[in-house]
Amino acid sequence: MQVIPGSRGGRRSPSATARREQIIAATVRILAESGYGRTTFERVRQRAGISSTRLISYHFGTRDELMEAVLTDIALRAQDAIARRTEGAPTATARLTARIEAELTWIARNLAAVRAMYEICVNARDAEGALRYGPEASAQSNLAELEPILRAGQESGEFREFDTTLMALTLKSAIDAAIVRMTQPPRLSVDDCVREITTLALLVTRRAS
């Protein structure tokens, strides 16, 4: 699910870092609650409890820069959390199931961030009116994470032969479907979704006995 349009900047003072995090957190909440169109500097100022919108433009310059910073922050936080839960997995099978579990667990615990990311990806546009990011950015980042695991499983003999791009897209679609089931009634728990999607992943990738 990671979309990382940029990277964290150079060194900042602790106070500047704290202020940026405060502004980003307020922006995430407004995006999740009110949508992209209503996420203005003034609303962010009010939600963050700061005295002037100049404090926002000092750190981010423009609304587009703020939205890119939000995307980057969410994506890196998700990436870090997922990496911590998947590192050390001894086999491709273990890495695949650990990644699915880690991603779904992170999403379930950070629904506002996921909603904020969605709002930016489907609404932010450049000067020509084209989408800056679009949902395909998330798909590509997932492919970049899943395909190496699938290829490693084929190389080790754990997985059968299949097209790794198609399989990665299929698993991403299953994860997206699980997000819907976790967030829309009648809801499934994250544990139920993890169990179903990891079972699916194992069934569709395993070698015939």
Side-chain angles (χ1 to χ4, degrees), residues 110-131:
N110 297 273
L111 290 175
V114 174
R115 178 65 183 178
M117 180 178 282
Y118 173 82
E119 284 291 320
I120 296 171
C121 285
V122 301
N123 288 290
R125 297 181 180 274
D126 61 22
E128 285 71 42
L131 287 174

Side-chain angles (χ1 to χ4, degrees), residues 56-69:
I56 303 174
S57 57
Y58 171 80
H59 287 284
F60 300 102
T62 65
R63 184 171 184 259
D64 287 341
E65 289 180 25
L66 173 58
M67 294 303 167
E68 182 166 309

Side-chain angles (χ1 to χ4, degrees), residues 100 188 190-203:
I100 292 170
L188 287 178
V190 62
D191 290 340
D192 288 336
C193 289
V194 166
R195 183 179 62 254
E196 294 299 332
I197 304 305
T198 54
T199 299
L200 171 67
L202 295 175
L203 289 174

Side-chain angles (χ1 to χ4, degrees), residues 7-134:
S7 61
R8 286 178 177 138
R11 289 188 177 182
R12 304 185 182 93
S13 68
S15 61
T17 298
R19 178 66 78 191
R20 285 175 62 89
E21 290 176 352
Q22 178 185 16
I23 293 168
I24 287 172
T27 304
V28 168
R29 292 195 295 270
I30 296 170
L31 283 164
E33 294 168 4
S34 303
Y36 183 84
R38 302 189 69 186
T39 304
T40 63
F41 273 18
E42 176 58 24
R43 283 178 174 267
V44 173
R45 181 198 71 77
Q46 294 175 9
R47 179 59 68 92
I50 56 182
S51 59
S52 171
T53 57
R54 291 181 182 178
L55 289 171
I56 303 174
S57 57
Y58 171 80
H59 287 284
F60 300 102
T62 65
R63 184 171 184 259
D64 287 341
E65 289 180 25
L66 173 58
M67 294 303 167
E68 182 166 309
V70 168
L71 272 186
T72 300
D73 184 79
I74 293 171
L76 289 176
R77 289 179 187 276
Q79 186 179 68
D80 291 347
I82 293 169
R84 285 196 302 272
R85 295 189 62 167
T86 56
E87 64 184 3
T91 65
T93 300
R95 288 196 297 277
L96 181 59
T97 56
R99 176 173 174 79
I100 292 170
E101 179 178 4
E103 183 168 356
L104 288 173
T105 299
W106 189 89
I107 289 167
R109 293 175 178 173
N110 297 273
L111 290 175
V114 174
R115 178 65 183 178
M117 180 178 282
Y118 173 82
E119 284 291 320
I120 296 171
C121 285
V122 301
N123 288 290
R125 297 181 180 274
D126 61 22
E128 285 71 42
L131 287 174
R132 286 184 178 274
Y133 311 108

